[in-house]
Structure formats: C-alpha cells, structure tokens
Amino acid sequence: MADRYLNFTGTAPGRFLTRKLGLPQPSALRRWSAEHPYLEGELLHLTAGASPHGAELTEIFARTGLTSTPNPTHPTAVVLDATGISDTPGLAEVHAALHPVVRSVAENGRVVVLGAPVSPSDHHQAAAQQALEGFVRSLGKELGRGRTASLVRMGSAGAAESTLRFLLSPRSAYVSGQVIEVGEADPTTSIDWDRPLSGRTALVTGAARGIGEAVAEVLARDGAHVVVLDVPSAQQDLVRVADRLKGTALPLDITADDAGERMAAALADRGGLDILIHNAGITRDRKLANMAADRWNAVLDVNLTSVLRTTDALLKSGTLKRGGRVVATASIAGIAGNVGQTNYGASKAGIIGLVRALAPGALAEYGVTVNAVAPGFIETKMTAAVPLFIREAGRRMNSLGQGGLPVDVAETTAWLAGDASGGVNGSVIRVCGQSLLGS
Ligand code: NAD
C-alpha cells in the first residue's frame, strides 16, 4: 500500500508545509538496485582508543564501494572503531570523534560504531563497552534524514566483514539502532560477493506473496536455487513466483503432521538444504478477553509449533547440511507486545526462544547458524488490513518515520544466510527502522 504521506513530504510544498507544522519529515530511503549496488560517497574511519584492527578494516572498507577520505565534507558513512575503549574515561574519545562530524553525515548515511565483546570479568571494560549500546541507540533516534546508527561488537575484523558490508550498503536501509554481535567463525574462502549464495539451495515458507516472496527473490538474486513453499490454495501465485525465479514450487501446509518429512522428500533430489527460511505466518487479532481458542491455536500452530516441528524433521533426516543457515521470522510484537496480539506476540517471542536455544551447542559444531529477523511495520497485505489510524501510527513510530518494505527484511535475511556470516549466531535482528516500541 502506497505511503502517501512519504510521497507528499518528498515534494517541495510537502516539505515546506510539514516543516511549518512540525510534522515528521521522513526521507525516501536509498535501497539496493543493480545500477546502484553501493551507498556511493565517502567513508570516514575514526578510532577511539587503541585498536588492533586498523589495517584490516581499511582493506574491508576499500571493498564497500565507498571512498575512504580523511576529511570528507559530507561523509556517507562514518565508522568509529571503539573496540579499544576499556574504561569509562575512554568514552570521552567517542564524543570527541563524533561530535564534530555528526551534523555533516549525508542523507541516507550510516554511522557504525565498532565495539569489543563485553567482558564478564572486567566491570570497567563492561561498563564502557555497554555504554556504546545506549549511545548508538540514542544517536539513531537523533540522526533523521534516513540516516542510521548501529553497533557491531566484534572479536576480529575478518569475521565481521559480511556484517560491515551489509551495514555500509543500501541493503540495510531500514535497519537502525541494532547491536550486532559477531563471534569467531570458520574462515570462508573465495566468496563471490556479487552472488554469495551461488550453488546453495534455499527453502522459503510463505513465499507466494509479501515478505516471503521478496526473500525468495533476493536469495535468487544472490545465486541460490529457491524452493518456494506456501499453502495449496496459493498454488497459482506460488508457481508464478517459482517460474519467475527459476525455482521450485512446493505447495504444502506447514501445519500438516508430516510437513517436515515432505519438505525433506522434496529436497532430496537437490542433495539437501543449505538455507531454511521460516517466514510463513498469520495473525488472528482479538483482545484476550474476546479471543476464542481457535484463534489462539491457529496462530501458535502456524507461527511457532510448525516451525519447531519442521526444523526438527529437517535436522533429524539430515536434510539441513553442514554449514547450513536457519533464519526464522519473529516480530517486534514478540519483543514489545501489542494490543490484540497476545497469540501473535506469544508465537513470535517463542521464535526468539527457539533461536537462542538452538544456535549454540551441537548445531554450532556443524557450522550451522540459527538467527531471527524481527520485522517492525512492513508494507504488506498483512499490514494493509490494519485499521487506518493504527496503520499510520505503525508507519511513523520509528526513527525513519516510515514503514519498511518486504525487500528490507529480505536483504537482512540474505545477509544472515551467507556463508560469510557464520559469526552471527543466535541473534535477533530487528528490521524496524528503530521502532519506538520495545527495547
Ligand atoms: P502475508 O500474509 O502477506 O504472507 C504470509 C504467507 O504465509 C502467505 O502467502 C500465506 O499463504 C503463507 N502461510 C500462512 N499460513 C501458512 C501455512 N500454514 N503453510 C504455508 N504457508 C502459510 O504476511 P507477511 O506480511 O509477508 O509476513 C511474513 C512474515 O513476517 C510472517 O511470519 C509475519 O508474522 C512476519 N511479520 C510481518 C510483519 C509486517 O509488518 N508485515 C511484521 C512483523 C512480522
């Protein structure tokens, strides 16, 4: 559904009027396109405290399509390496580095702060590094004009390359205020960054439309063969998506008792599965006092129990391969809660529990990562059905002042699905324009 307010504020009279009335002035976000795959512009690399990562970071930045310059007038990206800050007096360097430049960051620009893992045994280091989280989340709320701020906590620059490339690209347009932990991972060799999923097989549930269709499209763009799954009643749309992406259609209701086994059978010909995307989901909103059991059960069954059941079946049958990637779809409703969505909020919080428990341990030993994306307000048929005033509030109540697009969730999913993202595991990444709801 078109965001008429965003279109209006993009015109000269619209800008004038909204400024006079003190109304939000969202900027049209710059997203990935084949013609403009990079953010384009200048990158300013700053350091607070002593950092061992300088040289490696410089090499990574050279591969982002941005030009590193010592004194850019309007940097498109500012990266502050604060990994060396180990006590609170060191935080003065964060202010000293960013205060003079923050005003000049270009529209749709990025501020990325690099932090070190928070020490469990050094409370001075922990206080200083945790401070960066509050700093970045606050800065994200101040920036405006389509600019975002994120914190990456990393042990090594190499493991963080795919995350830095994502954040410093138009693919992360609707991701702001996030704290991304990057652990160590098996080194990846010879990545084709233009088609990082080449040779991979991905299964996307709920892919006949909306976010799932966009996820399938982006994974296919990045080189994966996509098996798109949706309910049999959506078969016509599903086949259209599969044909367009040269993928395979799998009409199947994920709540069927044998859904996992049928997925495994369909994937056997392809030699198994590399990327499993749990996207299918439904809402059946009512306040708890008015909610009949069938509404509760339907949402829990589709959004959570089926995800658990099919994941277990695909693991048990050995269909999900070594080094595989699982990305499940949560929601900010599962983090902040929402009126009328006790069933939905419970199901999406359950997804977060599943991810956190499954990610470490046995699967990690096989190089499998399990993460979740938590979309905020995304423009789809699901949100078009929301009453007008609630829909308008959902769109505006975030730092970017607008709803996201399905492609924003898809780009985030594709980053997590990449071989080079092995260091990101057990994370919940919000794709919400830094929604004001939730932590
Ligand atoms: P959508 O309703 O447009 O698409 C969901 C798809 O899932 C549909 O094609 C539907 O047929 C399919 N599906 C439903 N039940 C199924 C089942 N039993 N078996 C197989 N397929 C089934 O929704 P969307 O907005 O694209 O949402 C996709 C995911 O993102 C959902 O998990 C949703 O909860 C989550 N999400 C969406 C938003 C948003 O703002 N749109 C926000 C947060 C989370």
Side-chain angles (χ1 to χ4, degrees), residues 206-212 229-231 234 252-255 279-282 302-303 329-332 344 348 375-378 380-383:
R209 67 178 203 198
I211 294 172
L229 178 153
D230 212 297
V231 285
L252 178 64
D253 186 329
I254 57 167
T255 62
N279 163 80
I282 59 169
V302 174
N303 295 4
T329 309
S331 164
I332 56 166
Y344 186 75
K348 295 301 188 179
F377 185 97
I378 305 294
T380 64
K381 281 194 177 161
M382 191 183 260
T383 46

XYZ file of all heavy atoms in Angstrom, residues 206-212 229-231 234 252-255 279-282 302-303 329-332 344 348 375-378 380-383, ligand 1:
292
model
N 5.943 -19.666 3.076
C 5.075 -18.483 2.939
C 5.569 -17.560 1.839
O 5.546 -16.333 1.980
N 5.992 -18.152 0.713
C 6.691 -17.358 -0.321
C 5.811 -16.986 -1.506
O 6.303 -16.472 -2.495
C 7.923 -18.126 -0.803
N 4.498 -17.206 -1.404
C 3.630 -16.865 -2.547
C 3.403 -15.368 -2.659
O 2.978 -14.879 -3.706
C 2.285 -17.578 -2.412
N 3.689 -14.643 -1.582
C 3.462 -13.190 -1.608
C 4.239 -12.546 -0.460
O 4.915 -13.213 0.320
C 1.975 -12.885 -1.453
C 1.433 -13.256 -0.079
C -0.027 -12.908 0.067
N -0.383 -12.745 1.465
C -1.618 -12.775 1.933
N -2.624 -12.986 1.097
N -1.866 -12.593 3.205
N 4.113 -11.213 -0.363
C 4.619 -10.459 0.790
C 6.110 -10.620 1.025
O 6.919 -10.685 0.092
N 6.463 -10.703 2.294
C 7.874 -10.753 2.677
C 8.536 -12.017 2.135
O 9.665 -11.979 1.639
C 8.003 -10.672 4.222
C 7.520 -9.297 4.721
C 9.432 -10.933 4.656
C 7.419 -9.152 6.230
N 7.824 -13.140 2.199
C 8.405 -14.402 1.723
C 8.773 -14.342 0.252
O 9.834 -14.846 -0.160
N 7.603 -22.342 -0.837
C 6.529 -23.140 -0.236
C 5.387 -22.223 0.192
O 5.631 -21.136 0.722
C 7.100 -23.884 0.967
C 6.173 -24.752 1.809
C 6.973 -25.864 2.487
C 5.383 -23.973 2.860
N 4.162 -22.672 -0.040
C 3.001 -21.955 0.510
C 1.829 -22.921 0.539
O 1.923 -24.057 0.031
C 2.682 -20.694 -0.306
C 2.102 -19.581 0.575
O 1.010 -19.791 1.143
O 2.738 -18.518 0.704
N 0.724 -22.477 1.119
C -0.452 -23.361 1.229
C -0.961 -23.722 -0.171
O -0.850 -22.913 -1.102
C -1.592 -22.698 2.031
C -1.280 -22.698 3.512
C -1.868 -21.283 1.547
N -2.752 -21.280 -2.399
C -1.993 -20.174 -3.019
C -1.129 -20.678 -4.178
O -0.206 -19.992 -4.617
C -1.121 -19.502 -1.967
N 2.325 -26.730 0.113
C 2.279 -27.546 1.328
C 1.853 -26.671 2.504
O 2.327 -25.550 2.652
C 3.695 -28.108 1.584
C 3.937 -28.962 2.816
C 3.128 -30.256 2.766
C 5.432 -29.315 2.918
N 0.976 -27.232 3.340
C 0.587 -26.518 4.555
C 1.571 -26.919 5.655
O 1.684 -28.115 5.983
C -0.858 -26.923 4.927
C -1.392 -26.108 6.094
O -0.586 -25.707 6.972
O -2.611 -25.864 6.123
N 2.276 -25.948 6.234
C 3.315 -26.307 7.212
C 2.745 -26.888 8.501
O 3.488 -27.438 9.314
C 4.266 -25.122 7.554
C 3.490 -23.906 8.068
C 5.157 -24.761 6.388
C 4.373 -22.844 8.707
N 1.420 -26.771 8.678
C 0.849 -27.349 9.902
C 0.543 -28.849 9.740
O 0.161 -29.505 10.720
C -0.445 -26.621 10.322
O -1.415 -26.783 9.287
C -0.210 -25.153 10.572
N 9.299 -18.263 7.202
C 8.667 -16.947 7.051
C 7.143 -16.998 7.188
O 6.529 -16.023 7.609
C 9.053 -16.357 5.686
C 8.132 -15.230 5.281
O 8.270 -14.096 5.737
N 7.148 -15.541 4.442
N 6.532 -18.138 6.841
C 5.059 -18.211 6.856
C 4.541 -17.784 8.226
O 5.102 -18.152 9.259
C 4.607 -19.628 6.534
N 3.477 -17.013 8.227
C 2.916 -16.579 9.500
C 1.528 -16.014 9.287
O 1.181 -15.595 8.185
N 0.739 -16.033 10.340
C -0.620 -15.477 10.265
C -0.897 -14.632 11.509
O -0.211 -14.756 12.532
C -1.698 -16.586 10.154
C -1.643 -17.542 11.362
C -1.559 -17.367 8.852
C -2.841 -18.493 11.454
N 0.693 -22.238 13.398
C 1.412 -21.836 12.169
C 2.744 -21.174 12.524
O 3.800 -21.525 11.976
C 0.568 -20.849 11.319
C 1.378 -20.338 10.128
C -0.721 -21.512 10.838
N 2.701 -20.209 13.442
C 3.869 -19.342 13.652
C 4.972 -19.972 14.490
O 6.121 -19.548 14.405
C 3.442 -18.037 14.342
C 2.522 -17.196 13.479
O 2.137 -17.602 12.391
N 2.159 -16.018 13.957
N 11.362 -16.039 11.381
C 10.791 -14.690 11.382
C 10.052 -14.430 12.682
O 9.021 -15.050 12.957
C 9.839 -14.522 10.182
O 10.545 -14.941 9.012
C 9.419 -13.072 10.025
N 10.601 -13.541 13.475
C 9.928 -13.095 14.703
C 9.151 -11.834 14.364
O 8.682 -11.658 13.239
C 10.970 -12.862 15.798
N 9.037 -10.919 15.297
C 8.323 -9.657 15.066
C 8.589 -8.765 16.266
O 8.828 -9.269 17.379
C 6.814 -9.914 14.974
O 6.103 -8.704 15.114
N 8.483 -7.452 16.077
C 8.631 -6.609 17.269
C 7.472 -6.845 18.242
O 7.601 -6.576 19.421
C 8.808 -5.099 16.951
C 7.665 -4.559 16.118
C 10.150 -4.818 16.346
C 7.640 -3.036 16.082
N -0.257 -13.772 18.813
C 0.830 -13.486 17.867
C 2.125 -13.146 18.622
O 3.206 -13.653 18.295
C 0.386 -12.320 16.981
C 1.325 -11.970 15.851
C 1.408 -12.760 14.709
C 2.117 -10.822 15.919
C 2.253 -12.414 13.666
C 2.958 -10.466 14.874
C 3.026 -11.276 13.741
O 3.867 -10.927 12.713
N 5.670 -15.178 18.403
C 6.898 -14.567 17.891
C 7.984 -14.509 18.967
O 9.170 -14.607 18.669
C 6.593 -13.174 17.328
C 5.677 -13.218 16.093
C 6.284 -14.051 14.964
C 5.515 -13.969 13.680
N 6.109 -14.752 12.591
N 10.777 -8.187 12.034
C 10.305 -7.006 11.311
C 9.450 -6.126 12.211
O 8.779 -6.593 13.134
C 9.450 -7.597 10.178
C 9.811 -9.056 10.105
C 10.227 -9.440 11.491
N 9.483 -4.829 11.900
C 8.569 -3.876 12.525
C 7.372 -3.726 11.614
O 6.781 -4.721 11.178
N 7.044 -2.492 11.266
C 5.902 -2.262 10.373
C 6.401 -2.359 8.933
O 7.155 -1.520 8.462
C 5.294 -0.882 10.623
C 4.057 -0.641 9.813
C 2.798 -0.841 10.366
C 4.142 -0.251 8.481
C 1.654 -0.639 9.602
C 3.003 -0.046 7.718
C 1.759 -0.241 8.283
N 5.965 -3.410 8.236
C 6.381 -3.624 6.843
C 5.127 -3.544 5.971
O 4.084 -4.105 6.323
C 7.055 -5.020 6.681
C 8.233 -5.196 7.678
C 7.510 -5.237 5.246
C 9.426 -4.298 7.466
N 2.769 -4.690 3.703
C 2.324 -5.921 3.017
C 0.804 -6.022 3.152
O 0.172 -5.193 3.806
C 2.924 -7.198 3.657
O 2.420 -7.311 4.993
C 4.439 -7.188 3.673
N 0.245 -7.100 2.592
C -1.203 -7.316 2.733
C -1.582 -7.457 4.197
O -2.669 -7.078 4.613
C -1.614 -8.578 1.969
C -1.740 -8.332 0.488
C -2.471 -9.456 -0.200
C -2.622 -9.105 -1.679
N -2.900 -10.251 -2.521
N -0.635 -8.031 4.987
C -0.918 -8.225 6.419
C -1.151 -6.871 7.093
O -2.096 -6.680 7.849
C 0.259 -8.957 7.083
C -0.001 -9.451 8.480
S 1.470 -10.222 9.212
C 1.119 -11.945 8.983
N -0.296 -5.872 6.783
C -0.424 -4.575 7.448
C -1.450 -3.680 6.738
O -1.983 -2.764 7.358
C 0.942 -3.855 7.540
O 1.591 -3.930 6.270
C 1.820 -4.476 8.579
P 1.468 -12.322 4.319
O 0.175 -12.650 4.952
O 1.479 -11.316 3.217
O 2.194 -13.655 3.795
C 2.296 -14.801 4.599
C 2.337 -16.015 3.705
O 2.406 -17.172 4.550
C 1.087 -16.147 2.829
O 1.443 -16.365 1.483
C 0.378 -17.343 3.431
O -0.396 -18.093 2.499
C 1.550 -18.149 3.993
N 1.074 -19.097 5.007
C 0.221 -18.852 6.016
N -0.049 -19.985 6.676
C 0.656 -20.974 6.067
C 0.780 -22.373 6.283
N 0.090 -22.988 7.260
N 1.573 -23.087 5.462
C 2.258 -22.483 4.459
N 2.179 -21.156 4.220
C 1.381 -20.413 5.007
O 2.433 -11.868 5.521
P 3.776 -11.013 5.508
O 3.435 -9.639 5.959
O 4.509 -11.216 4.256
O 4.540 -11.704 6.727
C 5.551 -12.682 6.566
C 6.138 -12.995 7.935
O 6.640 -11.802 8.535
C 5.132 -13.568 8.924
O 5.754 -14.540 9.727
C 4.742 -12.369 9.748
O 4.272 -12.735 11.019
C 6.071 -11.637 9.827
N 5.950 -10.206 10.112
C 5.332 -9.354 9.255
C 5.264 -8.017 9.591
C 4.635 -6.992 8.687
O 4.629 -5.797 9.051
N 4.127 -7.349 7.519
C 5.781 -7.551 10.798
C 6.389 -8.467 11.652
C 6.477 -9.797 11.295
